[in-house]
Amino acid sequence: MLKRHQKLSLFGLLICSFFAFWGTNSVFAEEKTGIHLQMAPSIQDMELDPGAVYENNFTIANNGSSTLEYKININPYSVNDIDYAPIYSVKNAYTQITDWITIESGQEEGTLEPNHSEIINYTITVPDDVPGGGQYAVIFAEAKDTSNGDSIQDAARIGLIVSARVSGDTRISGEIKDIKAPKFLLNPPVSASAVFTNNGNIDMSARMSLKIENYFSGQVIYDGTSDPVEKKLLPNTERELSVSWNNVPRLGVLRATLVTELPEANDANTKVYTIIVCPIWFIAIIALIFIAIIFRIVSGKNENRHTRNNSKNNQGSSEKFNIQG
Amino acid sequence: MVKTKNIVAALGVVAGIGSAALPLTTFADVTNPQNNTQVIRATVENIFELSVIPNVTLTKTDISQTLAVNKDNENTDLEHVVEVKGNAYSGYTLTMGSNNAYDSLRYVADSSEEFGTAARYNDDVNIPASTSVQHGTSSWAYRTSTTPASDQTASIKGDYSSASWTKVKANSATADTLLSQASSVHAAFDDKVYVNFGIATSETQPAGVYEGEVIYTATASF
């Protein structure tokens, strides 16, 4: 007959054994309907030489529960206007790479079983006579869920951006303009914006940062210089960048330092300016005080005038009395 | 002595449960921890995933694959749940638009023909894309939300006439941006948007099946 402590020990051992087996065998597969398409990587940067041939690859995966039919397409990559919304259908001088990319034969389309992946190989054949500069394309993996019989079918495509620099006559040129930095704020945040222009033929970085100090004490209360806003500028495009800081004191005087840079073009601009933060209720109080002071002054003048008139009248009466007397 | 034995036994039970809760693969090798530094370098691959899940909200007891709509009943049941996740350092952009040159729902004249081919459709009687879904007017549009239509109040879900609808754009136009993350964020992301479609018809719209195809596109941001 086991004693009590022996029973407890045995019980503990059983518990341990149970969890050991249960922990290794319990795999719960979650049903994932619809399209779940994964791609790795999402951007490939490369240096190309005219006349050379390059091979590369990427991986697509089906993370869903349904078999996917996929096809690979190569589209030009450009952007729309200053807000940089991507466009995948407009060809220009910087999207010629679209025609240089070839997907390995037999891999242009296929089927992906659930939880399976495929390595897609592609070749870039650079013509001999291409000019130097940036070239941009996107390789899409497009999939449809053929089991979906809805009236509105859905397809999904995920893109790999191919960003290349062709050696040769490359030109780096840009400018920073339209810097906007409000100096009077009723409410947070403190924000600033600028437009960056790339006049060259290769992509470059645009960078922007903001630092905020107390105007009187010089104490730094926000320093964004260690983590600036940084984005790429494609050739022959303009892009607006902005920075902001929300934790602004409701009332105060601040000194802001706004730095805008185009590092590759050796162009930078530092703007130091004063910001007055003044909420509307404070302005209302100041206005009321000002009105009260004005009213007090005006009413004080009227009172003095009234008093002087009264004393003149009294003096006139006494003189009359004297004359009469 | 008995008390001590009980304590030891109890601790044995607790230790057993605790060690069983650990995933077995995390036990580290600590046989030679002294004066043995090793550089460990790992490359984290940049990955990106887009998922699109069509979901017909359960406002009807029969979940037919074809959205039923007639002159008296608009249909706002279809919703796509679109999710973008990954660790792309540069952020991402998700857009949506029609996957062909048509922004309208096309009338299926011959269902034996392959989906998307010209022979399948009669484009003279399509349901046009619109910026509104109005009773008695043939139109279709979409709206987006951060919450599913099934979680929204009846007034929001049913108030299709005054809701803010967006016109589906043909592939010749710049697609609409549904979600984006700026490259300055530099963080992994897992974002979701619910795309709800609304369809209405006029009295004169011919009965039949109408089809459309939208495509969701996700790319890393520059």
Side-chain angles (χ1 to χ4, degrees):
Chain A
M1 184 67 176
L2 293 174
K3 296 186 178 174
R4 189 169 174 225
H5 68 272
Q6 290 171 328
K7 288 180 185 175
L8 280 174
S9 300
L10 182 61
F11 177 69
L13 196 62
L14 283 172
I15 294 289
C16 186
S17 306
F18 173 74
F19 276 109
F21 283 111
W22 183 79
T24 52
N25 294 336
S26 61
V27 176
F28 296 110
E30 182 188 337
E31 177 101 8
K32 293 171 85 171
T33 58
I35 303 170
H36 295 262
L37 186 59
Q38 178 178 295
M39 174 175 277
S42 58
I43 296 182
Q44 286 180 332
D45 293 303
M46 54 195 72
E47 307 277 339
L48 304 178
D49 293 318
V53 178
Y54 303 85
E55 292 181 349
N56 212 332
N57 60 63
F58 57 93
T59 305
I60 56 172
N62 177 2
N63 292 340
S65 305
S66 310
T67 300
L68 294 179
E69 292 181 2
Y70 73 86
K71 60 179 178 177
I72 308 295
N73 295 313
I74 303 158
N75 288 59
Y77 184 93
S78 58
V79 294
N80 178 33
D81 207 1
I82 207 169
D83 56 10
Y84 251 59
I87 303 175
Y88 312 115
S89 56
V90 173
K91 285 194 170 185
N92 57 40
Y94 305 104
T95 61
Q96 297 177 59
I97 191 173
T98 310
D99 300 323
W100 308 343
I101 298 174
T102 311
I103 303 298
E104 183 174 295
S105 178
Q107 291 197 307
E108 301 93 336
E109 56 187 32
T111 303
L112 267 181
E113 296 296 325
N115 298 313
H116 275 71
S117 62
E118 186 84 27
I119 296 175
I120 308 293
N121 300 305
Y122 69 93
T123 304
I124 302 178
T125 305
V126 186
D128 294 322
D129 58 347
V130 295
Q135 290 290 325
Y136 311 94
V138 57
I139 303 178
F140 280 121
E142 180 180 330
K144 296 186 185 186
D145 182 2
T146 55
S147 64
N148 171 18
D150 288 339
S151 299
I152 302 172
Q153 297 278 312
D154 56 277
R157 61 179 180 179
I158 194 164
L160 161 68
I161 294 179
V162 176
S163 170
R165 284 189 183 186
V166 179
S167 61
D169 182 20
T170 57
R171 194 173 67 254
I172 299 175
S173 172
E175 65 174 306
I176 305 168
K177 61 182 183 180
D178 295 343
I179 298 175
K180 293 177 186 170
K183 299 176 181 57
F184 184 83
L185 294 176
L186 296 176
N187 294 303
V190 170
S191 62
S193 65
V195 175
F196 297 78
T197 303
N198 183 348
N199 298 318
N201 66 352
I202 58 172
D203 55 273
M204 64 167 77
S205 298
R207 201 182 293 160
M208 195 166 178
S209 66
L210 187 65
K211 186 168 80 170
I212 305 290
E213 299 165 300
N214 182 301
Y215 181 86
F216 299 106
S217 68
Q219 179 192 8
V220 176
I221 47 182
Y222 169 71
D223 189 355
T225 55
S226 58
D227 189 21
V229 171
E230 184 166 349
K231 294 190 179 176
K232 265 194 177 178
L233 278 179
L234 295 180
N236 202 29
T237 62
E238 282 190 338
R239 188 168 194 173
E240 183 176 46
L241 267 62
S242 62
V243 288
S244 65
W245 179 55
N246 289 322
N247 296 331
V248 184
R250 291 284 171 175
L251 178 67
V253 183
L254 309 170
R255 181 184 294 114
T257 304
L258 178 68
V259 178
T260 51
E261 300 173 90
L262 288 169
E264 288 99 332
N266 292 319
D267 190 3
N269 181 296
T270 300
K271 184 181 173 77
V272 182
Y273 57 101
T274 304
I275 301 174
I276 296 173
V277 185
C278 189
I280 193 72
W281 57 262
F282 190 77
I283 294 174
I285 290 173
I286 298 295
L288 282 172
I289 293 172
F290 184 71
I291 292 169
I293 292 171
I294 296 295
F295 180 76
R296 185 77 180 95
I297 293 171
V298 169
S299 59
K301 282 185 180 173
N302 286 341
E303 198 175 307
N304 287 342
R305 193 177 303 126
H306 183 69
T307 304
R308 277 203 297 274
N309 286 343
N310 282 345
S311 73
K312 272 189 186 173
N313 288 339
N314 289 340
Q315 193 175 18
S317 300
S318 66
E319 284 174 356
K320 188 175 177 182
F321 178 77
N322 286 338
I323 290 170
Q324 286 180 347
Chain B
M1 186 63 179
V2 172
K3 201 179 272 188
T4 307
K5 286 178 184 173
N6 286 344
I7 292 169
V8 169
L11 286 174
V13 171
V14 170
I17 293 173
S19 64
L22 287 174
L24 294 179
T25 56
T26 61
F27 290 129
D29 179 7
V30 291
T31 54
N32 186 16
Q34 296 181 9
N35 300 321
N36 184 12
T37 58
Q38 297 270 344
V39 174
I40 299 174
R41 186 173 288 116
T43 300
V44 178
E45 192 167 36
N46 174 305
I47 60 169
F48 200 22
E49 179 180 329
L50 169 65
S51 64
V52 180
I53 304 169
N55 179 35
V56 179
T57 56
L58 303 180
T59 55
K60 299 197 272 188
T61 53
D62 58 318
I63 309 173
S64 57
Q65 296 286 37
T66 301
L67 302 173
V69 61
N70 57 48
K71 66 178 179 63
D72 295 320
N73 293 298
E74 292 69 38
N75 192 307
T76 58
D77 287 344
L78 178 61
E79 182 176 76
H80 289 160
V81 185
V82 187
E83 184 175 3
V84 184
K85 56 183 176 182
N87 61 354
Y89 182 82
S90 58
Y92 72 90
T93 302
L94 173 71
T95 63
M96 190 272 277
S98 173
N99 198 21
N100 51 54
Y102 295 87
D103 59 4
S104 53
L105 291 180
R106 306 171 75 185
Y107 177 70
V108 178
D110 187 349
S111 60
S112 65
E113 295 290 341
E114 191 179 330
F115 182 89
T117 57
R120 181 177 173 90
Y121 307 103
N122 176 359
D123 289 314
D124 292 333
V125 291
N126 291 345
I127 295 176
S130 175
T131 55
S132 65
V133 177
Q134 295 290 341
H135 179 73
T137 303
S138 291
S139 56
W140 80 295
Y142 78 94
R143 55 185 172 178
T144 59
S145 171
T146 54
T147 55
S150 57
D151 285 355
Q152 296 173 20
T153 62
S155 61
I156 295 173
K157 201 168 57 173
D159 192 14
Y160 54 85
S161 60
S162 61
S164 179
W165 295 96
T166 306
K167 185 177 177 179
V168 177
K169 293 184 176 62
N171 63 359
S172 56
T174 303
D176 293 329
T177 298
L178 301 186
L179 288 176
S180 66
Q181 177 170 297
S183 55
S184 58
V185 177
H186 297 172
F189 48 85
D190 184 355
D191 297 329
K192 197 179 283 188
V193 63
Y194 297 85
V195 184
N196 177 227
F197 294 91
I199 309 169
T201 65
S202 69
E203 286 188 354
T204 57
Q205 191 73 39
V209 177
Y210 294 78
E211 290 179 344
E213 185 179 26
V214 295
I215 185 163
Y216 297 91
T217 304
T219 54
S221 293
F222 254 123

